[in-house]
Amino acid sequence: MKEVIYLDNAATTQVLPEVLQEMLPYFTETFGNPSAVYTFASGAKGAVDKAREQVAKLIGAKTEEIYFTAGGSESDNWALKATAEAYKEKGRHIITTAIEHHAILHTCQWLEQQGFEVTYLPVDEKGVVSPQEIEKAIRPDTILISVMAANNEIGTIEPLKEIGVIAKEHGILFHTDAVQAFGHIPLDVEALNIDMLSASGHKIHGPKGVGILYIRKGVKIRSFVHGGAQERKRRAGTHNVPGIVGMGKAAELAGTHMQENNEKIVALRNHLIDRVLKEIPYTRLNGHEINRLPNNANFCFRFIEGESMLILLDQKGICGSSGSACTSGSLDPSHVLLAIGLPHEIAHGSLRLTLSEKNTLEEIDYTVDQLKAIIERLRGMSPLYEDFIKKQERE
Ligand SMILES: *Cc1c(COP(=O)(O)O)cnc(C)c1O
C-alpha cells in the first residue's frame, strides 16, 4: 500500500501525469506571451484558445464565454462584486444560501458593508435549498441569485435546474459556484439557465491557481482585475499559460472519463459508507443519500472531537478533513453542519473523506479498519461516552 492514503480530494487533487506532460512545454519552450504579435507567441496563444474550447465543451458554453482567472475564489469574488457594481442601479439585493463556500459568504458580507442586502437562505436537513424559498425571497430590487452546484463539505447537489427556471422567469442573474461539481457531474449552462459559473483547475486533477468564470453573452459585468486587455478586456494580467493548458487538459479528461470514473468512485464510496455505518455505532452520514457528489462521504461520530480523530488518522498516513480545508485550524464547527441542523457537539465530530478514481478498495478497507480503532480509542477516553453507556445499561 502507498505511504499516504489521500482521501481529501475536495480540498485539492493530484495533477494527472497527462496534464503535467501537456503543461511542461509552456514553461521552457513555448514560453511566449500570448498577447504578443510575433509568430513565436502564436504557440502560446493557440494553447490558450484550445484550453478555452476544452473548458467550454465541458459545460456546453461558447468559447468566448469562458474567462480564465486565478482560481475559484477569484471567480466567485468577480461574479458577485462585479454584478453588484454593474446592476446596483436596478437594485441592491442578493440571494444566496447559508452553506456556500467562504469565497461566496465572505464576499457577500463585504457587499453588505457596501450597502447591499443579502438573504442567506436556510437548507433542509440534507443540505438542499428549496427553489420555492428562493422564489419567495425575490424582491423587485433583487439582482442576483448565487447558489452552489454542489456543497464542498457534505456533497449535496443543489436543484440548479429549478432555480435556473425561476431566475429566468424573474429576469434575475443566476450564478453558481460549481467548483466541486465541474468535471465531476454533468453540467450544461444552457439547460440549467446559468448566467455565470465558477470553476477551478485544482479540484479536477489540474494545477492550482487557475480557474474560470463562465459569463453568458449579454451579462454586463466589468473587469475585476484592471490592467491589460487580456480576456476580451475583462480580466487583466499575462495569461498563466501552463496553468490554463493544464486546466484545459484536466477538463477534457474529466469529461471523457466522467462516467467510468464515477462508476468506480461511487462503488468505493458506497463501500466506505456501508462499512462505516455498519461497523461504527453512533454514527451518521451527513448530506443527501442520493443527490450527492460521487466522491463525497461525510460522517459525524458522536462523542468524538474531529481534530483528534484527524491527527490519529494522519499518524496512520490517512488524509481526511473535518469541516473544510479553509476552516480546519479554527475551532468553530462547520457552518454547513450547523445549517443542516446539527448541534455544536455533534458537528464537532465530523469527518469528510473525498475520493478519486486513484483510490483502491484496499485503501478504503484499511481506512475503515484504522478509523474503527481510532474511534474506539477516543471514545474510551471520553467521560461523556462513559456516562452515556452507563445510562444505556441502566435503561
Ligand atoms: C475549493 C473551492 C473554492 C475555491 O477555489 P480555489 O480555486 O481554491 O480558489 C470555491 N468554492 C468551492 C465550492 C470550493 O470547493
Side-chain angles (χ1 to χ4, degrees), residues 9-65:
N9 285 277
T12 197
T13 59
Q14 182 183 33
V15 172
L16 289 173
E18 302 93 300
V19 170
L20 177 65
Q21 280 312 313
E22 200 87 1
M23 291 170 66
L24 285 176
Y26 296 94
F27 287 102
T28 49
E29 293 158 32
T30 316
F31 63 83
N33 187 326
S35 305
V37 287
Y38 37 78
T39 318
F40 175 61
S42 63
K45 184 175 183 307
V48 171
D49 291 343
K50 181 178 167 196
R52 206 184 304 282
E53 277 166 34
Q54 288 165 316
V55 168
K57 189 163 172 238
L58 190 54
I59 54 171
K62 300 183 191 77
T63 51
E64 66 270 23
E65 295 174 319

Side-chain angles (χ1 to χ4, degrees), residues 51-68 149 160 176-179 181-200 204 211-216 247 251-252 254-255 258:
R52 206 184 304 282
E53 277 166 34
Q54 288 165 316
V55 168
K57 189 163 172 238
L58 190 54
I59 54 171
K62 300 183 191 77
T63 51
E64 66 270 23
E65 295 174 319
I66 303 297
Y67 296 84
F68 286 108
L160 293 191
T176 186
D177 174 347
V179 174
F182 177 79
H184 291 268
I185 55 172
L187 283 175
D188 185 306
V189 290
E190 289 305 325
L192 299 170
N193 282 319
I194 293 165
D195 296 308
M196 286 172 277
L197 178 147
S198 307
S200 179
I204 59 163
I212 59 118
L213 182 63
Y214 154 81
I215 309 175
R216 179 182 290 281
M247 179 162 183
E252 180 192 295
M258 192 182 289

